[in-house]
Amino acid sequence: MIEMDDRVRVAAPAVASPEVPTPTRVFQLVDGLEIVGSAVSAAALTWLIFSAVAWNGAFGAVLIWYCAFLLIYRSVARSIHGSLVATDRLMTVVLATGASLAFIPLVMIVVFVVTKGLKYLNFAFFTETLESVGPQDKGGGAFHSIVGTLEQVGLAAAVAIPLAIMTAIYLNEIKGRMTRGVRFVIDSMSGLPSIVAGLFVYSFWVVGLGKGFSGWAGSMALIVLFIPTVTRASEEMLRIVPDSLREASLALGAPQWKTVLRVVLPNAKSGLISAALLGMARAIGETAPMVLAVLGSSALNWNPFESNQDDLPLFILKLIRSPNDAQIARAWTGALVLIFLVLFLFTLARILGRDRRKATR
């Protein structure tokens, strides 16, 4: 009996230990020293090259230094960590460089506008208009433009967001006979220049029907630009919803409309809200359609369906072309307020677009 147990024990196959994946993203102090040493070595090599060739030029020096840095850093990381980690570290440096090059101009623009626009940024700027303010007078604000912007974008969002979401549902959930044609129209409208939308509203509404300039005319131009942006973003959000949820709902006997209403839309709610806010952020800074549809005004107009109305892009355009320094300063302050509005919408979209279930876990 003991011999049989020994044979069974010997014949039993050994369980292989699981393989431990090679860490490629662990960054320590030594890795930072490798980057610093590679950068210093690349700088010394660049200095030697420029000294030997007697060549002056800041852009060429930076380009040669960067290429030398990548080569040296790749060689150092490969000799210490291996080829896999070296490739990962090299691509991380390249992607970080690209992100920095894209981020630096944005920071420069924001800093420039902030320094220019702080001069007239006070409480009066949000409560007063330019109706009785001369070019050399102090005070005055953009209250009439802020009201016009909020009303025009609000009307456009109230009309365009439901239409865009229903179009996205038709394209992704219903998939009827007109899906190909509707998607072709949406894709074509996505590349439509904003001034074309303004010309359409000007020809059809302002001149053709004789309705005149108004905030509603500007809202109609924004609707034309609003719908394709929100539709495409909403369609992508609906595609993220797993098909297993739809199949489970249909298997339980729910009709398709109830599946879309009770299963698909609640799971895509945060993404749809983000798509709507991003569409508003894009539309809030449009200027060309407003010149043709709204025309602008220095007085406050609470009714967007009658007479001229102003908004922040028109406020900036009108004052920045003035030869007066005070008016130009007001224009920069309007640009700063517009940036704050767009930043607020993007931040709100990020907050509402987070996966709350993942955050809870």
Side-chain angles (χ1 to χ4, degrees):
M1 180 65 67
I2 296 176
E3 295 178 357
M4 288 295 293
D5 292 341
D6 292 340
R7 290 175 184 176
V8 173
R9 195 177 295 115
V10 172
V15 179
S17 59
E19 296 182 357
V20 179
T22 303
T24 59
R25 300 299 300 272
V26 179
F27 192 86
Q28 299 177 354
L29 178 61
V30 178
D31 302 318
L33 296 177
E34 293 173 5
I35 294 177
V36 174
S38 301
V40 173
S41 302
L45 180 60
T46 305
W47 179 76
L48 290 175
I49 294 175
F50 271 66
S51 298
V53 181
W55 180 25
N56 295 323
F59 179 76
V62 172
L63 184 61
I64 293 177
W65 171 84
Y66 185 72
C67 296
F69 166 72
L70 293 179
L71 293 175
I72 295 173
Y73 181 61
R74 174 73 165 79
S75 302
V76 172
R78 183 177 181 180
S79 62
I80 298 176
H81 304 286
S83 178
L84 179 62
V85 177
T87 303
D88 179 76
R89 299 281 170 81
L90 180 67
M91 295 309 300
T92 301
V93 171
V94 173
L95 293 177
T97 304
S100 301
L101 291 177
F103 188 69
I104 289 174
L106 177 62
V107 174
M108 293 176 63
I109 292 173
V110 173
V111 171
F112 184 77
V113 175
V114 169
T115 54
K116 288 281 191 178
L118 285 177
K119 183 176 180 180
Y120 278 94
L121 188 62
N122 48 38
F123 183 74
F125 189 83
F126 298 93
T127 57
E128 298 179 2
T129 66
L130 296 179
E131 184 176 7
S132 58
V133 177
Q136 300 291 343
D137 296 340
K138 295 182 178 181
F143 179 63
H144 59 296
S145 303
I146 296 174
V147 170
T149 297
L150 295 179
E151 289 183 351
Q152 293 159 23
V153 176
L155 287 173
V159 176
I161 290 176
L163 291 177
I165 293 178
M166 287 189 291
T167 304
I169 292 173
Y170 178 81
L171 294 176
N172 192 72
E173 304 295 331
I174 308 300
K175 299 179 181 179
R177 296 181 178 179
M178 299 177 62
T179 300
R180 182 176 298 179
V182 172
R183 181 171 282 111
F184 175 78
V185 172
I186 294 298
D187 292 339
S188 301
M189 291 176 61
S190 299
L192 184 72
S194 59
I195 193 170
V196 176
L199 285 171
F200 170 75
V201 174
Y202 176 79
S203 302
F204 172 73
W205 182 264
V206 177
V207 177
L209 298 180
K211 300 295 183 179
F213 301 99
S214 62
W216 171 241
S219 299
M220 287 192 292
L222 294 180
I223 290 172
V224 177
L225 303 173
F226 220 119
I227 291 178
T229 303
V230 181
T231 299
R232 298 190 67 177
S234 301
E235 187 180 3
E236 295 298 327
M237 294 300 105
L238 295 176
R239 288 178 181 176
I240 297 176
V241 179
D243 291 335
S244 58
L245 297 178
R246 299 180 178 89
E247 295 170 357
S249 177
L250 295 174
L252 292 174
Q256 188 178 18
W257 68 268
K258 187 172 289 187
T259 298
V260 173
L261 188 62
R262 298 290 183 86
V263 177
V264 177
L265 291 182
N267 282 276
K269 179 178 65 175
S270 60
L272 295 177
I273 295 174
S274 300
L277 292 176
L278 292 177
M280 293 176 64
R282 180 196 181 278
I284 201 172
E286 292 293 341
T287 307
M290 300 304 172
V291 175
L292 298 171
V294 180
L295 192 60
S297 174
S298 298
L300 177 62
N301 180 13
W302 288 99
N303 188 357
F305 298 98
E306 292 183 4
S307 186
N308 302 357
Q309 198 177 36
D310 203 41
D311 66 349
L312 281 174
L314 288 178
F315 177 87
I316 298 168
L317 178 65
K318 178 177 64 176
L319 296 185
I320 203 66
R321 298 162 62 182
S322 173
N324 184 269
D325 293 337
Q327 299 287 63
I328 295 176
R330 292 189 182 99
W332 283 112
T333 306
L336 180 60
V337 173
L338 186 61
I339 288 179
F340 283 157
L341 286 176
V342 175
L343 181 62
F344 170 76
L345 291 175
F346 273 105
T347 305
L348 189 62
R350 291 281 296 179
I351 294 174
L352 297 178
R354 290 186 303 178
D355 192 346
R356 297 185 180 274
R357 292 171 298 177
K358 185 182 296 185
T360 303
R361 287 198 297 269

